[in-house]
Amino acid sequence: DNYNQFNIWDSYKSIIKFIKAILEGLYYLHKKKMCHLDIKPENIIVDLRSNTFKLIDFGYSCIEPFDKCTKFILGTAGYIPKYFESEKVSKFMPKVEANDYIFINGRIPLVNDRHLVYRLDSYAFGRVLNFLKCIYKDNKVYTCFSNEKKNELMIDNIIKELLENDVYKRTSIIECYEKYFK
């Protein structure tokens, strides 16, 4: 269980530092009109010496106008906002209830409004954060840090906004970064 050996996750503050770093990277990509489309723990490098984080594996990435990803579902099942019958449901990876790939008036939302493709990265990152928070809570050593509750609430709000089931209401990476870190 390698995820539990990361002493880098020693507080909610350390998770917020991680969130900010990944949001900055995704913010940059989205400003350049590019989506990663495969955000998952395996595609995030953690440098334990410098406490830095990097996104890797741009094999599914797509550039606006997103022709490839409006025709095909790209990304890793479990991290994209589409429910797959074969996926196991757990507290780490709850059932997907999102409407990104649900037909509305004969078309999926991503085809009707291609800017919604950016929100696929939002959802995937929200799944990563939910996974990380569950791991942290299962291994947390309780102490008397006064900021822990405030930081936990901030993380919960970010996760909730990124995992919004309605793609039209889901917070984009840019909105999330600007709301919480600017």
Side-chain angles (χ1 to χ4, degrees), residues 138-170:
D138 283 354
N139 296 285
K140 180 179 177 183
V141 176
Y142 290 90
T143 59
C144 296
F145 291 113
S146 61
N147 278 341
E148 278 294 279
K149 196 64 182 160
K150 182 179 92 171
N151 291 335
E152 180 182 19
L153 183 60
M154 179 181 174
I155 292 167
D156 287 343
N157 287 337
I158 290 170
I159 291 170
K160 181 181 176 192
E161 291 176 23
L162 294 178
L163 289 180
E164 166 61 49
N165 286 317
D166 187 342
V167 68
Y168 295 103
K169 295 177 183 174
R170 185 177 310 133

Side-chain angles (χ1 to χ4, degrees), residues 78 88-97 123 127 130 163:
K88 290 184 179 176
V89 175
S90 71
K91 70 178 179 178
F92 298 108
M93 300 297 274
K95 184 176 179 181
V96 175
E97 306 278 352
Y123 194 86
R127 298 284 277 187
N130 184 68
L163 289 180

Side-chain angles (χ1 to χ4, degrees), residues 6-176:
F6 282 66
N7 61 0
I8 191 169
W9 315 116
D10 60 355
S11 67
Y12 285 123
K13 185 177 180 180
S14 65
I15 295 172
I16 289 172
K17 179 183 176 194
F18 166 76
I19 293 170
K20 183 179 182 197
I22 299 302
L23 283 176
E24 284 174 343
L26 292 170
Y27 183 97
Y28 176 82
L29 288 177
H30 289 192
K31 286 288 192 177
K32 298 294 182 182
K33 302 186 182 300
M34 179 182 195
C35 276
H36 187 279
L37 299 174
D38 199 19
I39 300 165
K40 59 184 179 180
E42 297 86 348
N43 288 343
I44 299 172
I45 291 190
V46 178
D47 184 332
L48 296 174
R49 286 180 295 221
S50 65
N51 286 345
T52 57
F53 314 95
K54 293 183 174 124
L55 285 169
I56 62 169
D57 191 355
F58 288 78
Y60 286 122
S61 65
C62 198
I63 297 174
E64 210 175 298
F66 305 122
D67 292 330
K68 179 173 67 171
C69 59
T70 56
K71 293 182 178 121
F72 307 101
I73 297 173
L74 300 175
T76 300
Y79 289 92
I80 58 176
K82 179 174 184 357
Y83 180 69
F84 294 92
E85 290 295 328
S86 62
E87 290 300 306
K88 290 184 179 176
V89 175
S90 71
K91 70 178 179 178
F92 298 108
M93 300 297 274
K95 184 176 179 181
V96 175
E97 306 278 352
N99 68 350
D100 300 55
Y101 290 100
I102 304 292
F103 281 88
I104 300 170
N105 297 326
R107 297 177 77 175
I108 62 171
L110 305 177
V111 174
N112 287 337
D113 180 356
R114 290 182 178 215
H115 286 97
L116 294 175
V117 171
Y118 290 109
R119 295 179 186 200
L120 295 174
D121 280 351
S122 298
Y123 194 86
F125 188 48
R127 298 284 277 187
V128 168
L129 294 179
N130 184 68
F131 180 78
L132 177 58
K133 185 170 184 230
C134 287
I135 294 287
Y136 175 75
K137 282 190 84 148
D138 283 354
N139 296 285
K140 180 179 177 183
V141 176
Y142 290 90
T143 59
C144 296
F145 291 113
S146 61
N147 278 341
E148 278 294 279
K149 196 64 182 160
K150 182 179 92 171
N151 291 335
E152 180 182 19
L153 183 60
M154 179 181 174
I155 292 167
D156 287 343
N157 287 337
I158 290 170
I159 291 170
K160 181 181 176 192
E161 291 176 23
L162 294 178
L163 289 180
E164 166 61 49
N165 286 317
D166 187 342
V167 68
Y168 295 103
K169 295 177 183 174
R170 185 177 310 133
T171 298
S172 71
I173 294 296
I174 291 171
E175 292 166 338
C176 186

